[in-house]
């Protein structure tokens, strides 16, 4: 399905090196998303550490990386602005409890209801979001962007671009990073190309004295070990009313993004993850994170792709990434802060290129128009709103298109057998097809005895039952007999159960099996 390829063999060395690469990429992402949520950088970094570590150990998908994400941050910012960061911590704990409940109820299996066009739209939309999130690194922080005064002011593309020399330097370093990642695997795969690219660019900038923005210029990542912290909020009904809506939305977005990413990694690695275990692992991670001053998180498609492409297959890769990130915070902050932002942006651009399903452009004209519409819809909504809304829109649109198409598939043939008019029904009878079904019968002109054969049909829902009852009533009003033949056992049970709506007697209905 996807162009990304991955070897199935696991290696401790690959897991360790890919985990280190992921940890370096987690730093600017966690800091950036913390700023989006309106909290301190360490709140995002601690969340990345706990969520990454716990889901790596207990989650349902070895090799998948979790941490603080932008999809959650955009929801959190309203709560932080209105009530403060302590309410955010409480909401994250409740979010985790909701996810644990989802895991206990095995709700993760419903991810199989997400159609393939929605999955493609999710991948493409998220790739675009990752790309747009990097544009801010090419601008001057705190200054008005080039779209100031327009309706797009304040958007991710409203960037106050760097001066020409600084911008060209940044672009050049990004290009060199991408070139190393692309061409190095053709020479050797002994070490992850992303890690080599980051180290090479950092050394080149340091030795050559190139002036460019570093991680330390974005924010300081130095801090101590995270400590246990009970959210300082009143434990009353009013607090629950405040945080519950946010927690439900956060839990839904987190699970949807994680389970879709799990499906993607399953496809790439040709292995099978556990949706139930992922719900439980993510829920546990967020409960713990909320009690240690973190902003919560979920699976990260960008970092997961870095890990997979770097050879990370086992749980050790995620554990390594989390522990390395903690080491950066506690001991190695001065060193990590010297890494050029351009190197990390280059890594993320490679992730965007590898994540986006480029074949979408080729297949748009070849797949059904409804599927093409859903693919574009989900991609667009993901970019302009958030993942949960996008997936919900995609699933609803797919369901409506499915119902509309199958509503046209019900047809009825008629044949006179002596004094008996025999009808044969083809196709499913459900809410979308009942109108067409009823229009194909004429109770006034039909003879006194009518038989309807459902051998090639299925009575699916309440609307179908009502349609049958309506049809029987029409013939009864004309003093005519009607019999239903060859109903499946399922249909018989449904009709018998609804006996108070449909009269089951020899004059009107006859079950032949």
């Amino acid at each position: 399905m996807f162009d990304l390829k991955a070897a199935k063999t696991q290696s401790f060395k690959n897991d360790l090196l890919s985990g280190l690469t992921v940890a370096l990429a987690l730093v600017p992402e966690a800091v950036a998303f913390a700023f989006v949520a309106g909290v301190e950088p360490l709140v995002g970094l601690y969340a990345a550490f706990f969520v990454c570590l716990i889901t790596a150990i207990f989650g349902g998908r070895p090799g998948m990386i979790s941490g603080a994400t932008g999809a959650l941050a955009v929801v959190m910012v309203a709560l932080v602005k209105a009530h403060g960061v302590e309410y955010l911590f409480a909401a994250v704990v409740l979010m985790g409890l909701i996810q644990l409940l989802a895991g206990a109820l095995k709700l993760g299996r419903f991810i199989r209801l997400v159609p393939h066009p929605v999955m493609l739209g999710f991948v493409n939309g998220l790739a675009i979001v990752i790309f747009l999130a990097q544009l801010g690194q090419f601008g001057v922080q705190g200054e008005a962007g080039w779209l100031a005064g327009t309706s797009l002011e304040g958007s991710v593309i409203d960037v106050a671009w760097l001066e020409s020399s600084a911008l060209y330097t940044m672009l050049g370093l990004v290009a060199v990073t991408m070139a190393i990642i692309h061409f190095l695997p053709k020479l050797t795969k002994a070490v992850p190309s992303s890690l080599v690219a980051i180290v090479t660019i950092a050394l080149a900038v340091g030795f050559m004295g190139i002036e460019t923005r570093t991680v330390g210029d974005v924010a300081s990542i130095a801090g101590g070990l995270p400590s246990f912290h009970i959210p300082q909020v009143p434990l009353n009904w009013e607090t629950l009313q405040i945080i519950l809506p946010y927690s439900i939305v956060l839990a839904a977005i987190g699970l949807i993004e994680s389970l879709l990413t799990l499906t993607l990694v399953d496809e790439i690695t040709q292995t099978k993850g556990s949706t139930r275990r992922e719900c439980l692992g993510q829920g546990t991670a967020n409960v713990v994170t909320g009690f240690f001053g973190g902003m919560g998180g979920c699976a990260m498609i960008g970092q997961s792709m870095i890990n997979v492409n770097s050879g990370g297959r086992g749980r050790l890769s995620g554990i390594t990434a989390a522990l390395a990130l903690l080491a950066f915070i506690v001991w190695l902050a001065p060193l990590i802060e010297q890494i050029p932002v351009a190197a990390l942006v280059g890594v993320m651009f490679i992730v965007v290129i590898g994540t986006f399903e480029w074949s979408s452009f080729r297949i748009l004209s070849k797949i059904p128009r409804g599927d093409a519409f859903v693919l574009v819809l989900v991609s667009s909504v993901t970019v302009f709103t958030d993942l949960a809304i996008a997936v919900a829109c995609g699933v609803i649109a797919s369901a409506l298109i499915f119902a509309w198409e199958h509503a046209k598939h019900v047809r009825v043939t008629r044949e006179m057998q002596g004094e008996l008019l025999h009808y044969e029904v083809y196709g499913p009878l459900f809410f979308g097809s009942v109108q067409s079904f009823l229009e194909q019968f004429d109770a006034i002109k039909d003879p006194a005895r009518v038989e309807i054969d459902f051998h090639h049909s299925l009575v699916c829902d309440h609307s179908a039952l009502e349609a049958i009852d309506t049809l029987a009533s029409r013939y009864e009003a004309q003093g005519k007999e009607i019999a239903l033949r060859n109903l499946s056992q399922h249909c018989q049970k449904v009709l018998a159960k609804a006996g108070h709506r449909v009269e089951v007697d020899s004059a009107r209905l006859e079950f032949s099996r």
Side-chain angles (χ1 to χ4, degrees):
M1 180 174 83
F2 298 94
D3 294 331
L4 296 172
K5 302 296 182 184
K8 295 182 180 179
T9 57
Q10 294 189 13
S11 164
F12 285 123
K13 183 196 73 173
N14 287 344
D15 281 351
L16 289 171
L17 292 177
S18 63
L20 180 59
T21 306
V22 168
L24 293 172
L26 277 173
V27 172
E29 294 287 295
V31 172
F33 296 144
F35 285 148
V36 171
V39 297
E40 295 296 322
L42 282 177
V43 175
L45 291 168
Y46 287 152
F49 163 67
F50 279 111
V51 176
C52 184
L53 178 64
I54 295 174
T55 55
I57 297 174
F58 301 107
R61 175 65 264 177
M64 189 168 75
I65 303 298
S66 298
T69 66
L72 298 180
V74 296
V75 177
M76 296 172 178
V77 62
L79 177 61
V80 174
K81 284 184 178 180
H83 301 282
V85 70
E86 294 294 331
Y87 278 84
L88 172 61
F89 298 150
V92 169
V93 173
L94 182 57
M95 162 193 175
L97 294 175
I98 294 172
Q99 291 174 331
L100 285 171
L101 179 62
L105 297 176
K106 300 181 180 180
L107 299 183
R109 59 189 172 184
F110 288 105
I111 198 67
R112 70 185 65 175
L113 297 179
V114 177
H116 187 66
V118 176
M119 184 66 184
L120 289 181
F122 153 76
V123 172
N124 291 350
L126 220 52
I128 296 171
V129 169
I130 294 172
F131 171 78
L132 294 176
Q134 310 309 310
L135 296 183
Q137 304 300 339
F138 293 90
V140 179
Q141 303 298 321
E143 292 191 9
W146 66 291
L147 294 173
T150 69
S151 59
L152 295 176
E153 181 177 356
S155 65
V156 291
I157 61 174
D158 184 26
V159 179
W161 301 107
L162 295 168
E163 295 182 0
S164 57
S165 58
L167 181 60
Y168 295 148
T169 300
M170 181 84 169
L171 289 171
L173 293 173
V174 169
V176 173
T177 301
M178 295 175 69
I180 294 173
I181 296 173
H182 178 73
F183 290 108
L184 183 62
K186 301 180 185 299
L187 302 176
T188 178
K189 295 183 180 180
V191 291
S193 58
S194 297
L195 179 59
V196 173
I198 293 172
V199 173
T200 300
I201 296 299
L203 292 175
V205 168
F207 283 114
M208 298 175 64
I210 300 174
E211 291 291 331
T212 187
R213 181 182 296 166
T214 64
V215 172
D217 295 329
V218 177
S220 173
I221 67 169
L225 291 171
S227 58
F228 184 78
H229 171 79
I230 297 177
Q232 301 300 302
V233 297
L235 300 178
N236 54 32
W237 175 249
E238 182 179 354
T239 298
L240 181 62
Q241 287 181 306
I242 292 172
I243 67 174
L244 182 59
Y246 290 98
S247 296
I248 293 174
V249 173
L250 291 171
I253 293 175
L255 289 180
I256 291 172
E257 183 160 0
S258 295
L259 295 178
L260 289 178
T261 303
L262 180 147
T263 303
L264 173 61
V265 177
D266 279 354
E267 185 69 26
I268 294 171
T269 61
Q270 294 299 299
T271 55
K272 181 67 174 177
S274 169
T275 57
R276 179 173 182 269
R277 186 168 177 177
E278 182 59 30
C279 293
L280 295 173
Q282 189 178 135
T284 302
N286 282 310
V287 170
V288 173
T289 300
F291 281 120
F292 278 87
M295 59 183 283
C298 63
M300 308 179 74
I301 189 171
Q303 277 64 26
S304 297
M305 293 303 99
I306 292 174
N307 191 44
V308 170
N309 289 337
S310 299
R313 294 293 182 276
R315 297 186 183 276
L316 181 61
S317 58
I319 295 172
T320 300
L323 295 179
L325 180 60
L326 183 62
F328 297 163
I329 297 171
V330 179
W331 298 296
L332 302 177
L335 181 61
I336 301 303
E337 289 174 359
Q338 299 305 310
I339 295 176
V341 171
L344 300 175
V345 171
V347 172
M348 297 310 296
F349 278 172
I350 289 292
V351 169
V352 169
I353 294 173
T355 301
F356 194 91
E357 184 62 27
W358 300 100
S359 63
S360 301
F361 295 115
R362 185 182 72 253
I363 66 174
L364 274 178
S365 60
K366 300 179 181 179
I367 60 178
R369 286 181 294 178
D371 288 345
F373 169 76
V374 170
L375 195 161
V376 175
L377 173 68
V378 175
S379 299
S380 303
V381 177
T382 299
V383 173
F384 292 106
T385 58
D386 62 58
L387 178 64
I389 294 177
V391 173
C393 289
V395 172
I396 292 172
S398 296
L400 291 175
I401 292 171
F402 176 85
W404 176 260
E405 290 297 324
H406 282 73
K408 298 181 293 185
H409 290 169
V410 66
R411 62 187 181 88
V412 179
T413 62
R414 50 187 291 161
E415 178 186 1
M416 286 300 300
Q417 299 177 353
E419 296 181 354
L420 174 69
L421 176 57
H422 177 82
Y423 283 101
E424 190 86 24
V425 183
Y426 295 84
L429 189 59
F430 68 110
F431 68 91
S433 61
V434 293
Q435 187 62 37
S436 176
F437 169 77
L438 290 173
E439 289 174 352
Q440 299 183 61
F441 296 89
D442 191 337
I444 297 176
K445 296 182 179 179
D446 284 351
R449 295 181 59 207
V450 174
E451 178 181 82
I452 304 177
D453 193 333
F454 285 87
H455 181 73
H456 301 289
S457 182
L458 178 66
V459 179
C460 298
D461 59 10
H462 179 208
S463 297
L465 294 174
E466 288 296 327
I468 293 173
D469 188 54
T470 298
L471 192 63
S473 298
R474 290 178 181 177
Y475 280 97
E476 186 180 61
Q478 298 297 321
K480 299 174 181 179
E481 297 181 5
I482 179 173
L484 305 182
R485 309 263 185 199
N486 289 320
L487 286 165
S488 68
Q489 291 184 355
H490 170 74
C491 296
Q492 294 182 41
K493 290 179 181 178
V494 172
L495 288 170
K497 187 175 181 181
H500 62 287
R501 301 189 196 93
V502 180
E503 295 182 19
V504 184
D505 55 43
S506 58
R508 294 180 56 180
L509 300 175
E510 178 180 337
F511 297 133
S512 62
R513 57 174 177 173

